[in-house]
Amino acid sequence: MSVFRLPLLDWGRRYSRENLSGDLIAALVVTVMLIPQGMAYAMLAGLPPQAGLYGAILPLLIYAALGSSSALAVGPVAVVALMTAATAGSIAEIGTPGYQLAALWIALISGAMMLLMGLLRLGFVANFLSHPVISGFITAAGILIAASQIRHLLGIQTSGKTLPEVIPSILANIGGLHWPTVVMSALGLVFLIWSRKGLAPALRKLGLKAAAAALLARGGLFVAVLASTLAVWLLGLDARGLQIVGDIPRGLPALAVPAFDADLITYLLLPSALIALVGYVESISIAQTLAAKRRQSISPDRELIALGAANLGAGLTQAMPVTGGLSRSIVNFDAGAQTPAAGAFTALMIGAALLALTPLLYYLPNATLAAIIIVAVLSLLDFRALPRAWAYSKADGAAMAVTMVVTLVLGVEQGLAAGVGLSLVMHLYRTSRPHVAEVGQVPGTGHFRNIHRYEVVTTPEIVTLRVDESLYFPNARYLEDLVQEKIASNPQLRHLVLMFSAVNAVDASALESLEMIQAKLRDAGVSLHLSEVKGPVMDRLRRSDFPDHLAGLYLTQLDAMQALAPELTLATLNAPRHERRKQGA
Amino acid sequence: MSVFRLPLLDWGRRYSRENLSGDLIAALVVTVMLIPQGMAYAMLAGLPPQAGLYGAILPLLIYAALGSSSALAVGPVAVVALMTAATAGSIAEIGTPGYQLAALWIALISGAMMLLMGLLRLGFVANFLSHPVISGFITAAGILIAASQIRHLLGIQTSGKTLPEVIPSILANIGGLHWPTVVMSALGLVFLIWSRKGLAPALRKLGLKAAAAALLARGGLFVAVLASTLAVWLLGLDARGLQIVGDIPRGLPALAVPAFDADLITYLLLPSALIALVGYVESISIAQTLAAKRRQSISPDRELIALGAANLGAGLTQAMPVTGGLSRSIVNFDAGAQTPAAGAFTALMIGAALLALTPLLYYLPNATLAAIIIVAVLSLLDFRALPRAWAYSKADGAAMAVTMVVTLVLGVEQGLAAGVGLSLVMHLYRTSRPHVAEVGQVPGTGHFRNIHRYEVVTTPEIVTLRVDESLYFPNARYLEDLVQEKIASNPQLRHLVLMFSAVNAVDASALESLEMIQAKLRDAGVSLHLSEVKGPVMDRLRRSDFPDHLAGLYLTQLDAMQALAPELTLATLNAPRHERRKQGA
């Protein structure tokens, strides 16, 4: 399906009354979560609370029109908010117009990048964020997010963005903690953590049906907001120094292009690219997981277009950058969202709240928002991932560990860049020294395996090397050196067979090396044969005259051996099959 | 052999009288070439002539002690001289102390980097310079070198380092060309070009033996230097405005550490790394080609150590950066150099020349040096490489073309960086969309090939996918999507076999994808089997619990099919073999 075809036209035409009721209920549940979360993530991003609420209006309408996921809940999310704060904070002081301008341009630039990538069908670049890197990054980002909220939880001043900055700053200011704030935070945290698991059973005990109880339990955030706001108002806690949200402008955001600043935009290009990458990867992972549960499919390129346009919408309506968020998407899915219209309904409800409810949020304490953030990031932390990755492969474990440590110590952009860079370098290192096995025939079969792992039949006049990697510039010379060794160590050698079953590409550098190998073998009186060359590789090699000078070219390794050592091969083929693995191999 | 073991100890112990005579003759021939070439390349690098001669003393002695090539002639070379000029010229005006300081630090830093890489056995990084990139870079560098010498050939002023700068500057100043210089250049060029092919036959006609004629013909450079110097002196051309070499300080260079400047060193890190990379790749290619002719071997890591130490020696003795040069190495080899001692003898002869001969070089015209440079770079230009690479593979051709164009238009560092970057990105792009073939059994064999290329036997209940690439983060998700398609398009599907004969690695991201595939297949009532998994891959997979949940794991694809569809497979195995390729596939 073309990326230019609106998904809206597909599901819109078949929209039914059941769709409507599912979507409306899901929208209501998501809205109840999104009002406090939007304000909390705006605070995390260093922006005024309305930036989070605005991020749940136009971007959601745009995603509903363009997106391909029926359950993804787009809007402000914690990791992107943290990255926005890190970038905007490196340009201007928090709370200044320069800071807010930077945040708007981050949304516009990362949105434009996603849109462009989607239109150019370059969604594959997101794959360069390997699983260990993204997983390590998100855990580290969760820790940094939690650390950044200590100030709101304790009512103290802290500074810095990385652990070596934040921790000393907390310790230096811990003496000034504000007890009413601490109590408020503690109550909020305890209630929110309990409500995640305990609220639904408690509601069932009160006589509600299981489904209704599960749905109502999602209102835990709302209860916390309501209770803490009431407490502040009744007890006059704001007059005792408790920080509150304060005035939120009533009404909808205006559509406006932020002031143009070429230097600012140039500076933001790289950080915005990283934010776009992380936002996209987070969103597509969630969308694909949810789609798989309903046997639907997600188009990565169309998702890029939809998220890109949604972020352009955010940047034009004084909103913070957005993407698909994990917790709200799961809630949306569980609450029965049927189509992207659920997102549009959410946007309308948030808009209504902005028109009517903002005065009610005046006394909402920052401590409650911080507690909401802390509880949200708990689900991001996965400390068992590191030992698991390390046990599977030291390279993957190292990539994850480096990403985590650099993120925590130097910052989010640096951590992400270090992780991606290290993954690429380690991949190149691995392929630059490919596994090459000398193989022989497994008795009783036409199959050929590693002489060091299986009891196989070989003859000293013929050496077969199975090259277990595509041949390309990083490893081209390696094979040359290896073949030279084989010539030197096997004086009886007459035929060298390169078994290409695992060679998926041969680039120009490798062709050059193969020609060098051919020349060296000729000088040494050894003939060169190829077997099991795959179609695409053979097509490519035929563009050069390399195959013309080969002594032999065989469809199968068995054909090669039957041509070079017919009696031995036939005898082995008809021998009783035992093929057991060698001891300890 | 350890990199810490001096090669000198091996060949030094067996040194014979024949070695001595071969080495001495080769050293004499190389010295006669090196005196003018060293001064010419120093001029190309924007340094005083003695910087080239000094580059042929201590560095050569160091390489003789540490290097592993018996024929490599180390010293100033054209491409490294050009890169030195490009870097130093971006820091200071040519001729200033700042410029010379930068050149010394380039030698020291690139030397230290090579030494470190060698000690850490990281020689493999040189492989990241793919063949098309290095070949395109050297041709483009040759063109830039030739363009930079136009000023000396025509006696005009030009400026700039790239073609868009140099060409307009030549055109603007062409009116002021200096006729005595032009005549001197033309005579020099004609003689030098003729002498490359015509001098040896001419000497044979005069009655010399072939070997002696070939050896003497190498003195063409010396004849050009002698004749042009005499002409300037006799005709008083320097008084008529012809540029000459002038005073060269008599005596040997002093050992001195250049002034330390932290900012300068930081700035030079990246350019010096590129110079080290190019210098090393050029040198190792020559050394390996010459070693192969004598069935000797070269240790890449030991070469890095030797070249690194040689460059440290250069930086400490007011010399320009050095590496192994193509033309002098071939001359050294042809003239019979037997051991690295030939290089040491060359150093002693250059030292003697510095003590005695510098006054004789006073009247040597710059035009002659420029002609020597032009003739030397002619051998670097290979314009047929580009169409050849393009015909073999568009990706390789594009990498070469981009390297050439960016080098010519933006500069040497940019060109090299663009080429290396593009090669990596294209490699990642290629592996991110791997070739996956659906395979079936070739009748009459136990062999399985692509259903689109061969007439094979399949059954709709079993789909076998042969994945033609290692599974790792850039392509992990691709296989997931592909399998989902296969499930959707084959309602009869009961068994999916992934044939891993070409899978050489499975990283943590791909393991995650395989587990997702397993879960999706289970939900769809399809069982997952693996066949032909290689030893190292299986060892790795066993570290997770993924293999425990597999429906089947088979040594060979034939085993898999015999287990899943025994009658069909046996019948196909015993069918008459025809296996012809499908039309047009």
Side-chain angles (χ1 to χ4, degrees):
Chain A
M1 207 187 307
S2 159
V3 291
F4 295 104
R5 186 176 160 80
L6 284 185
L8 174 61
L9 299 179
D10 291 324
W11 59 260
R13 206 172 292 164
R14 295 180 269 104
Y15 203 72
S16 67
R17 188 175 292 185
E18 287 83 55
N19 288 153
L20 181 67
S21 70
D23 285 345
L24 274 176
I25 292 173
L28 188 69
V29 179
V30 170
T31 302
V32 166
M33 275 180 87
L34 191 47
I35 292 177
Q37 277 194 348
M39 297 198 311
Y41 295 150
M43 182 172 87
L44 172 58
L47 295 168
Q50 64 269 26
L53 299 175
Y54 295 169
I57 303 181
L58 187 58
L60 268 64
L61 292 173
I62 293 175
Y63 183 83
L66 302 177
S68 62
S69 167
S70 64
L72 191 71
V74 171
V77 305
V79 174
V80 169
L82 177 77
M83 295 180 79
T84 303
T87 302
S90 67
I91 292 174
E93 277 294 300
I94 207 164
T96 61
Y99 187 98
Q100 292 177 32
L101 184 67
L104 292 182
W105 276 109
I106 290 171
L108 288 175
I109 298 169
S110 59
M113 284 175 170
M114 288 184 189
L115 190 61
L116 202 68
M117 300 287 280
L119 292 174
L120 297 177
R121 298 179 155 278
L122 294 175
F124 80 94
V125 297
N127 296 338
F128 296 150
L129 221 48
S130 74
H131 199 272
V133 168
I134 190 79
S135 152
F137 176 73
I138 288 197
T139 294
I143 296 170
L144 287 182
I145 291 169
S148 75
Q149 297 309 305
I150 301 286
R151 53 198 295 252
H152 296 296
L153 293 176
L154 303 184
I156 60 175
Q157 287 299 315
T158 66
S159 62
K161 302 201 174 304
T162 63
L163 287 194
E165 293 164 359
V166 176
I167 291 173
S169 144
I170 293 171
L171 296 177
N173 294 296
I174 195 83
L177 51 74
H178 185 250
W179 285 108
T181 304
V182 174
V183 172
M184 182 67 80
S185 308
L187 290 175
L189 277 175
V190 168
F191 173 74
L192 287 170
I193 291 172
W194 169 78
S195 75
R196 291 205 303 170
K197 297 249 167 97
L199 193 51
L203 289 171
R204 279 203 302 278
K205 275 190 197 152
L206 293 177
L208 266 78
K209 282 184 187 157
L215 215 58
L216 268 183
R218 300 295 184 182
L221 288 191
F222 198 69
V223 173
V225 166
L226 207 67
S228 61
T229 304
L230 275 173
V232 173
W233 181 55
L234 292 174
L235 303 175
L237 292 176
D238 57 321
R240 297 211 213 153
L242 189 113
Q243 297 288 315
I244 55 171
V245 164
D247 273 321
I248 299 175
R250 203 160 175 167
L252 299 175
L255 203 67
V257 182
F260 185 83
D261 177 342
D263 284 346
L264 175 70
I265 292 169
T266 311
Y267 178 87
L268 290 177
L269 285 179
L270 189 64
S272 299
L274 291 178
I275 290 173
L277 192 63
V278 170
Y280 169 64
V281 170
E282 196 178 343
S283 186
I284 192 86
S285 311
I286 300 163
Q288 284 181 330
T289 306
L290 297 179
K293 293 196 184 196
R294 285 192 186 151
R295 310 218 156 263
Q296 293 167 341
S297 79
I298 295 292
S299 150
D301 291 316
R302 205 175 313 144
E303 282 300 288
L304 270 171
I305 293 173
L307 290 174
N311 272 296
L312 288 179
L316 296 174
T317 54
Q318 301 95 59
M320 61 190 291
V322 296
T323 191
L326 180 63
S327 58
R328 288 194 308 277
S329 296
I330 293 174
V331 168
N332 197 32
F333 182 88
D334 288 348
Q338 302 286 314
T339 72
F345 296 142
T346 304
L348 297 179
M349 293 178 193
I350 298 271
L354 270 167
L355 290 170
L357 300 181
T358 56
L360 302 182
L361 297 168
Y362 182 88
Y363 288 107
L364 173 58
N366 285 351
T368 304
L369 293 181
I372 289 172
I373 293 175
I374 297 278
V375 173
V377 300
L378 286 182
S379 65
L380 300 183
L381 306 181
D382 181 1
F383 295 107
R384 277 169 307 180
L386 183 58
R388 206 166 53 223
W390 181 263
Y392 181 68
S393 132
K394 301 231 177 339
D396 284 308
M400 190 185 285
V402 165
T403 306
M404 290 179 74
V405 170
V406 176
T407 302
L408 291 174
V409 172
L410 296 181
V412 285
E413 289 166 19
Q414 289 81 350
L416 210 52
V420 172
L422 189 64
S423 310
L424 292 181
V425 168
M426 287 193 307
H427 161 65
L428 291 172
Y429 179 75
R430 182 180 63 70
T431 57
S432 77
R433 302 180 172 211
H435 181 253
V436 177
E438 188 173 339
V439 298
Q441 189 177 4
V442 178
T445 77
H447 209 70
F448 291 77
R449 297 304 283 247
N450 193 336
I451 59 168
H452 298 298
R453 285 178 179 259
Y454 294 88
E455 295 207 350
V456 292
V457 176
T458 56
T459 159
E461 282 157 33
I462 307 170
V463 166
T464 300
L465 296 179
R466 190 191 69 210
V467 185
D468 285 357
E469 192 67 64
S470 292
L471 292 174
Y472 74 122
F473 61 95
N475 61 29
R477 208 168 274 148
Y478 183 85
L479 187 64
E480 235 178 290
D481 295 345
L482 201 78
V483 168
Q484 194 141 29
E485 259 173 47
K486 288 286 167 201
I487 305 176
S489 62
N490 292 318
Q492 292 179 268
L493 183 65
R494 289 293 159 267
H495 301 280
L496 181 78
V497 184
L498 294 177
M499 185 174 165
F500 266 29
S501 51
V503 173
N504 308 308
V506 174
D507 78 355
S509 304
L511 176 68
E512 201 90 18
S513 283
L514 286 174
E515 286 170 347
M516 282 292 283
I517 287 173
Q518 202 168 37
K520 283 182 192 171
L521 287 174
R522 195 167 29 226
D523 291 352
V526 179
S527 58
L528 177 65
H529 310 256
L530 295 191
S531 75
E532 311 211 356
V533 183
K534 281 179 219 166
V537 173
M538 202 58 231
D539 292 349
R540 181 55 50 102
L541 288 177
R542 286 229 169 82
R543 296 187 185 189
S544 73
D545 60 359
F546 170 71
D548 308 338
H549 304 302
L550 284 172
L553 184 62
Y554 308 95
L555 182 68
T556 72
Q557 175 61 22
L558 187 61
D559 291 348
M561 294 306 290
Q562 279 178 330
L564 299 174
E567 292 81 13
L568 178 74
T569 309
L570 209 63
T572 311
L573 195 59
N574 296 323
R577 184 171 178 177
H578 51 94
E579 100 182 22
R580 67 187 154 86
R581 286 196 149 224
K582 284 193 180 172
Q583 214 76 31
Chain B
M1 207 188 307
S2 158
V3 292
F4 296 104
R5 185 176 161 80
L6 283 185
L8 174 61
L9 298 180
D10 291 325
W11 58 260
R13 205 172 292 162
R14 296 180 268 104
Y15 203 71
S16 66
R17 189 177 291 188
E18 286 84 53
N19 288 151
L20 180 67
S21 70
D23 286 345
L24 272 177
I25 292 173
L28 188 68
V29 178
V30 169
T31 302
V32 166
M33 274 179 88
L34 191 47
I35 292 177
Q37 277 194 347
M39 297 198 315
Y41 295 150
M43 183 172 87
L44 172 58
L47 295 168
Q50 64 270 25
L53 299 175
Y54 295 169
I57 302 181
L58 187 58
L60 268 63
L61 292 173
I62 293 174
Y63 183 84
L66 302 177
S68 61
S69 166
S70 64
L72 191 71
V74 171
V77 306
V79 174
V80 169
L82 176 77
M83 294 180 80
T84 303
T87 303
S90 68
I91 292 173
E93 278 294 301
I94 207 166
T96 61
Y99 187 98
Q100 293 177 32
L101 184 67
L104 292 182
W105 276 109
I106 291 170
L108 288 176
I109 298 169
S110 60
M113 285 174 169
M114 288 184 188
L115 190 61
L116 202 69
M117 301 286 279
L119 291 174
L120 297 177
R121 299 181 153 277
L122 293 176
F124 80 95
V125 295
N127 296 338
F128 296 151
L129 221 48
S130 74
H131 199 272
V133 168
I134 189 80
S135 152
F137 176 72
I138 288 198
T139 293
I143 295 171
L144 287 183
I145 290 169
S148 75
Q149 297 309 306
I150 302 285
R151 53 197 296 253
H152 296 297
L153 293 176
L154 303 184
I156 61 176
Q157 286 300 313
T158 66
S159 61
K161 302 201 173 304
T162 63
L163 287 194
E165 293 164 359
V166 176
I167 291 172
S169 144
I170 292 171
L171 295 177
N173 294 297
I174 194 83
L177 52 74
H178 185 252
W179 284 108
T181 304
V182 174
V183 171
M184 181 66 79
S185 310
L187 290 176
L189 278 175
V190 167
F191 173 74
L192 287 170
I193 290 172
W194 170 77
S195 74
R196 292 204 302 171
K197 297 247 168 102
L199 193 51
L203 289 172
R204 279 204 300 277
K205 274 190 196 153
L206 293 177
L208 265 80
K209 282 183 187 160
L215 215 59
L216 267 184
R218 300 296 184 183
L221 288 192
F222 198 69
V223 173
V225 166
L226 206 69
S228 61
T229 305
L230 273 174
V232 173
W233 181 54
L234 292 173
L235 303 176
L237 293 176
D238 57 320
R240 297 209 215 153
L242 189 113
Q243 298 288 315
I244 55 170
V245 165
D247 274 320
I248 298 175
R250 203 162 177 165
L252 298 175
L255 204 65
V257 181
F260 186 83
D261 177 343
D263 285 347
L264 175 70
I265 292 169
T266 312
Y267 179 85
L268 290 178
L269 284 179
L270 189 65
S272 299
L274 291 178
I275 291 173
L277 192 63
V278 170
Y280 170 64
V281 170
E282 196 178 342
S283 186
I284 192 85
S285 310
I286 300 164
Q288 284 181 330
T289 306
L290 297 179
K293 292 196 185 195
R294 285 194 186 150
R295 309 216 159 266
Q296 294 167 338
S297 79
I298 295 293
S299 150
D301 291 317
R302 205 174 315 145
E303 282 299 290
L304 270 172
I305 293 173
L307 289 174
N311 272 296
L312 288 179
L316 296 174
T317 54
Q318 301 94 58
M320 61 189 293
V322 296
T323 192
L326 180 63
S327 57
R328 289 194 309 276
S329 295
I330 292 174
V331 167
N332 197 32
F333 182 86
D334 288 348
Q338 302 285 316
T339 73
F345 296 142
T346 303
L348 297 180
M349 291 177 194
I350 298 272
L354 270 167
L355 291 171
L357 299 182
T358 55
L360 302 182
L361 297 168
Y362 182 89
Y363 287 107
L364 173 59
N366 285 351
T368 304
L369 293 180
I372 289 172
I373 293 175
I374 297 277
V375 173
V377 299
L378 286 182
S379 65
L380 299 183
L381 307 180
D382 181 1
F383 294 108
R384 277 170 307 181
L386 182 57
R388 207 166 52 223
W390 182 264
Y392 180 69
S393 132
K394 301 233 174 338
D396 283 308
M400 190 186 286
V402 166
T403 307
M404 290 180 73
V405 170
V406 176
T407 302
L408 291 174
V409 172
L410 296 181
V412 286
E413 289 165 20
Q414 289 83 349
L416 209 53
V420 172
L422 189 64
S423 310
L424 293 181
V425 168
M426 287 193 305
H427 161 65
L428 291 171
Y429 179 76
R430 183 180 62 71
T431 57
S432 78
R433 302 179 171 211
H435 181 253
V436 177
E438 189 173 338
V439 298
Q441 189 177 2
V442 178
T445 75
H447 210 69
F448 291 76
R449 299 302 283 245
N450 194 335
I451 59 167
H452 297 299
R453 286 180 178 257
Y454 294 88
E455 295 206 348
V456 293
V457 175
T458 56
T459 159
E461 282 158 33
I462 307 170
V463 166
T464 301
L465 296 178
R466 189 191 69 210
V467 185
D468 285 355
E469 193 66 66
S470 291
L471 292 175
Y472 75 121
F473 61 94
N475 60 30
R477 208 168 274 147
Y478 183 86
L479 186 64
E480 234 177 293
D481 295 345
L482 201 79
V483 168
Q484 194 141 29
E485 259 173 48
K486 289 285 167 202
I487 306 176
S489 62
N490 292 318
Q492 291 179 269
L493 182 65
R494 289 294 159 267
H495 301 281
L496 180 78
V497 184
L498 294 177
M499 185 175 166
F500 266 29
S501 51
V503 173
N504 308 308
V506 173
D507 78 355
S509 304
L511 176 68
E512 201 90 19
S513 282
L514 286 175
E515 286 169 347
M516 283 291 283
I517 287 172
Q518 202 168 36
K520 283 182 192 170
L521 287 174
R522 194 166 32 225
D523 290 352
V526 179
S527 58
L528 177 65
H529 309 257
L530 295 191
S531 74
E532 311 210 355
V533 183
K534 281 179 221 167
V537 173
M538 202 58 231
D539 292 349
R540 180 56 50 102
L541 287 177
R542 286 229 170 83
R543 296 187 185 190
S544 73
D545 61 358
F546 170 72
D548 307 338
H549 304 301
L550 283 171
L553 184 63
Y554 308 94
L555 182 68
T556 72
Q557 175 60 23
L558 187 62
D559 290 348
M561 294 306 289
Q562 279 178 332
L564 299 174
E567 292 80 13
L568 178 75
T569 308
L570 209 62
T572 310
L573 196 58
N574 296 322
R577 183 173 179 176
H578 50 93
E579 99 181 26
R580 68 188 153 85
R581 287 194 148 226
K582 283 193 180 173
Q583 214 76 32

